Amino acid sequence: MVYRLHHIGIAMAALTLHYHPLSSYCQKVLIAADVLGIALDKQLLDLSDAAVRAGFTALWPTGKMPLLVDNGRAIPETSIAIEHLQLHHASEGRELLPQDAAAALEVRLWDRLFDLYVMTPMQALTADLLKPEGERDAAAVAKAREGLLQAYGFIERQLDGKTWVAGEAFSLADCAAAPALFYAVSYVPIPAPHTALAAYFERLMAQPAVTRAVDEARPYFKFYPGRAGLAARFFDPALA
């Protein structure tokens, strides 16, 4: 679903991304746009500011970021936004979804699996840390950790003989995987037997678009509730 926007007092360029660099879902779109060779007008959101939140919810009622706006047309949901970017704005020869329908379906499947089975439990662990200590839910935390371990297992099997999760080309699925795994492993490290997943994680972190997204988020890691689990190469508390 897309919405046509009326003037609400927020300046918008032709292709605008409302985002925050610390957000895993925002990073997913940043990585995709980078790989596709697309320049975005990036509008940093501080949703703790009541006026900013009111303006943003006028753009998109759920108040969830990121939100892509293309010539006044609001395009929510990361996977849809990325497909829109590829369809309408990608540089020549760049793609994150293959032209072959069956191959594209495989990419979409793994995009959804990372969103549902890695991003979601990771966010549940983050949300629990944001609660007052007396309101934290140990059972929910245990379930989320178990869910991540289960996901690591089926991703490990999928990666057998592959460079990227859906084949030999970096795809939409890897855009979802990079931020999801980056934060997930700060809560639940990759178990030693999952050597394919560990190697894949390192390939993701070395991918230039992913590296740039992590670097953009780096100044904000001191605000990440799970920062104690971040590797020193990503976050040094002494420098925060």
Side-chain angles (χ1 to χ4, degrees), residues 51 59 61 74 78 111 121 129 137 142 145 154 157 175 193 238:
L59 285 175
T78 56
D111 169 62
L129 284 178
D137 187 338
R145 290 181 176 276
F154 67 67
R157 292 193 295 274
C175 294

Side-chain angles (χ1 to χ4, degrees), residues 25-98:
Y25 276 114
C26 293
Q27 290 172 16
K28 177 179 170 181
V29 177
L30 291 173
I31 292 164
D34 194 338
V35 172
L36 293 172
I38 299 168
L40 300 170
D41 174 36
K42 297 189 288 186
Q43 296 293 313
L44 186 68
L45 284 172
D46 177 6
L47 295 180
S48 65
D49 184 306
V52 171
R53 177 175 287 277
F56 185 59
T57 54
L59 285 175
W60 181 234
T62 70
K64 292 183 178 180
M65 58 178 160
L67 180 70
L68 180 68
V69 179
D70 188 352
N71 284 303
R73 180 185 181 191
I75 304 160
E77 300 300 325
T78 56
S79 301
I80 301 303
I82 291 168
E83 291 210 36
H84 176 90
L85 289 172
Q86 176 168 313
L87 184 62
H88 297 289
H89 298 284
S91 296
E92 185 175 357
R94 300 200 188 187
E95 65 178 21
L96 288 166
L97 274 160

